[in-house]
Amino acid sequence: MPLHKNGEQIEDVWSYLDEEASAEVGARVILTLDQWKENREKLLQGNHSYGIVLEPLDEVEELAEDLDRLAVIAITFPTFANGTGFSQARLLRRLGFEGELRARGHLIQDQFMYLDRCGFDTLESDRENLVDAWKEALGEMNVFGQPSSDDRLPAYLARHQAKGQVAAE
């Protein structure tokens, strides 16, 4: 499945561990949260990084103490109308996750900007070459009303900062 990261289509070096397989130490696999919890102690024995796939009902807080051991977290969007993944992403970034945050599932171009604002850096999609659509979506707006995980200030803070700079001159 095509993977889009930093404005380019790239090869995915990770594979999803299917539900019946057992987790092997050292494999470049993305496990479900249940697989991680079942095999956590064994997996942590090695010096390897792993990935986790989160479903909408999974509790992000269950990963809080392991975020530095995870290289990728894939968040599933079962339908484009289910926005739970946006909240999960924001929470992961607030908890300090610095690895690859991947969106997967049913997403539409109108949501690409929100993916970026919530901290996603990778999009997994069955659609080929979404690079132009991703760039277009990110360029549509440059003023925002709410804070996000990136360094862009929301409009109200930018306005106050600008007033402070003018007053200081």
Side-chain angles (χ1 to χ4, degrees):
M1 184 169 297
L3 196 61
H4 305 276
K5 183 172 185 149
N6 299 325
E8 296 181 22
Q9 186 169 319
I10 62 169
E11 182 182 345
D12 191 356
V13 296
W14 292 85
S15 59
Y16 290 92
L17 189 66
D18 70 22
E19 298 296 326
E20 292 78 39
S22 63
E24 295 297 323
V25 175
R28 286 194 76 124
V29 295
I30 298 175
L31 307 114
T32 66
L33 183 58
D34 288 339
Q35 289 168 328
W36 174 256
K37 290 189 301 189
E38 288 172 22
N39 298 287
R40 182 180 180 274
E41 296 307 317
K42 179 175 79 171
L43 295 170
L44 291 177
Q45 290 173 7
N47 192 20
H48 304 285
S49 57
Y50 295 93
I52 302 290
V53 61
L54 293 177
E55 298 296 332
L57 296 178
D58 289 338
E59 295 290 334
V60 170
E61 293 85 356
E62 293 186 57
L63 292 173
E65 66 184 67
D66 295 325
L67 292 177
D68 60 334
R69 295 177 179 98
L70 301 172
V72 59
I73 297 178
I75 296 180
T76 303
F77 289 81
T79 69
F80 76 90
N82 185 328
T84 306
F86 295 110
S87 299
Q88 289 173 316
R90 290 275 295 149
L91 184 53
L92 284 165
R93 291 301 189 201
R94 282 186 191 148
L95 290 171
F97 180 65
E98 296 179 1
E100 177 184 319
L101 197 52
R102 178 185 296 198
R104 66 189 304 254
H106 300 282
L107 293 153
I108 58 175
Q109 184 173 341
D110 292 354
Q111 296 170 312
F112 291 175
M113 179 186 56
Y114 300 110
L115 292 173
D116 180 61
R117 300 274 299 156
C118 290
F120 286 96
D121 49 15
T122 309
L123 172 63
E124 179 182 308
S125 174
D126 57 359
R127 293 172 40 202
E128 290 289 331
N129 203 351
L130 291 173
V131 172
D132 292 337
W134 183 265
K135 289 178 181 176
E136 181 182 332
L138 297 186
E140 287 178 352
M141 297 182 72
N142 59 10
V143 177
F144 302 96
Q146 66 280 85
S148 73
S149 64
D150 59 25
D151 61 352
R152 294 175 284 188
L153 291 176
Y156 72 94
L157 287 177
R159 184 172 53 249
H160 289 300
Q161 187 180 55
K163 285 181 183 179
Q165 290 173 349
V166 171
E169 293 180 358

